Amino acid sequence: INAEYMGHYPRIFSFDSVFLFLYFLMPQVSPSLLAALQTQPKNIRHICILAHVDHGKTTLADSLVASNLIISPKTAGKVRYMDSRPDEQERLITMKASAIALLYTDPTPHTSPADNRYLINVVDSPGHVDFSSEVSTAVRMCDGCIVVVDVIEGVCIQTQTVLRQAFEENVRPILVINKIDKLITDLKLSPMEAYHQIRRTLEQVNASTGNFYTEQSIARADACAAVPAPTSDVEHEYVEHSEDDAEGAWHFSPARGNVLFACAAHGWAFSVHDFAELWARKLAVPASTLVRTLWGNFYYNPRTKRILTAPLAGAVTKPMFVTFILESLWRVYDVACSNPEGLSKLASAMGIELPPNIVSMPLPRDRVTAVCSRWLPLSNSVLGTVVAQLPSPSLQSARMAKMWPAGLACAPSSTPAATTTTTTT
């Protein structure tokens, strides 16, 4: 802006005015739309982000916030938008839980346009052990959680703590294995070596949650042995149903759709469902079959075009997760970092459009982010999984027995006299 005009029209061309003008250019969510969504509990999700310190949950939150154009996607991971306190920005650590409401539009066709819009309330919680009370509050408030785990560090002390807190609150989780890029750029692992590292991390998480479930089952068995058997068949059926749900919900498996692989710093994430839909068209195999076989000990024979349950000596030795997912990802990183001239051709094969200036970007990190965030957008993958896997508030009545044990006994009666007495108390 010309300095002369700045002097003559300070109110019009001040930097505050420019930023305010740019803010109003961004698409905003109207209050009427928010009010309409709040009347549809099935289209609402209350979630919190849980992780050990420095495992990438605040960077993940930035990418989700950027999906609503509240911040620029280029600044995601740098601005730390959810760390609103000055001391949090100065120390680069989350100290207080903070919340934000995001709008997500599901690309899946629905019977009504209003049914594909979701209001997702996200709570970013601290990862340091000194602020565990903030985590407890966030978990109690929410119906689902996103557990972020560093693929290199694996399950740490605070990871086990937040997993236990979410498990005890009967909060349904999804797992995000973060910092996959470090396996490529820092450790220089091959796709096969990276697969084993990812698998070890997933096994660590499942071992921790399995211990929680075993402890809970033993405690319930001891409690049942000490107390006379309930006379109500309904209560007995409810307890058994809750145990089955807990065991299933807390077993993480990519085939179940509750595991995501991500690099929050580069703005990408995916599930096996994403690649199943992609490869189903190319391999002429049903997507449902690929969802079950893209993870685990399954191998694809290109000659016979059949899926095998054991490697074929000398011909097929790599699992399908390595062949169809990791090798593709490694290829993108290799081209973006060492051969930027080939980005345009690669992007065209991937079905994405790249602006011409991306090829001339000087930093490999920027080129990788530009390509991968268009190919596998983190916000679409994470929020889509949240909508598909985590429950709405209307389905959380089962948690009331734990959150408010005497709920039915203390609830106001329908008679006016009982209502008055309860209110006075």
Side-chain angles (χ1 to χ4, degrees), residues 62 70-71 105 127 140 152 162 219 264 285 339 344 360 378:
D62 269 4
I70 299 174
I71 62 175
T105 303
R140 177 60 65 92
I152 299 177
V162 297
V285 176
N339 184 24
S344 299
S360 59
L378 182 143

Side-chain angles (χ1 to χ4, degrees), residues 49-58 93-94 124-129 135 146-150 153-163 178-179:
I49 306 177
L50 310 175
H52 184 75
V53 63
D54 290 336
H55 276 203
K57 55 182 175 43
T58 301
I93 185 174
T94 304
D124 182 26
S125 62
H128 198 278
V129 65
V135 179
I146 301 175
V147 182
V148 184
V149 178
D150 189 322
E153 295 185 5
V155 176
C156 299
I157 298 299
Q158 190 63 10
T159 308
Q160 294 182 344
T161 301
V162 297
L163 282 171
N178 195 26
K179 301 188 180 181

Side-chain angles (χ1 to χ4, degrees), residues 299 301 303 308 310-318:
Y299 307 83
N301 190 340
R303 293 183 179 179
L308 311 175
L312 189 62
V316 182
T317 59
K318 299 177 182 178

Side-chain angles (χ1 to χ4, degrees), residues 35 75 197 216 301 312 335 368 419:
T75 63
Q197 177 64 30
Q216 185 185 68
N301 190 340
L312 189 62
V335 173
V368 168
T419 304

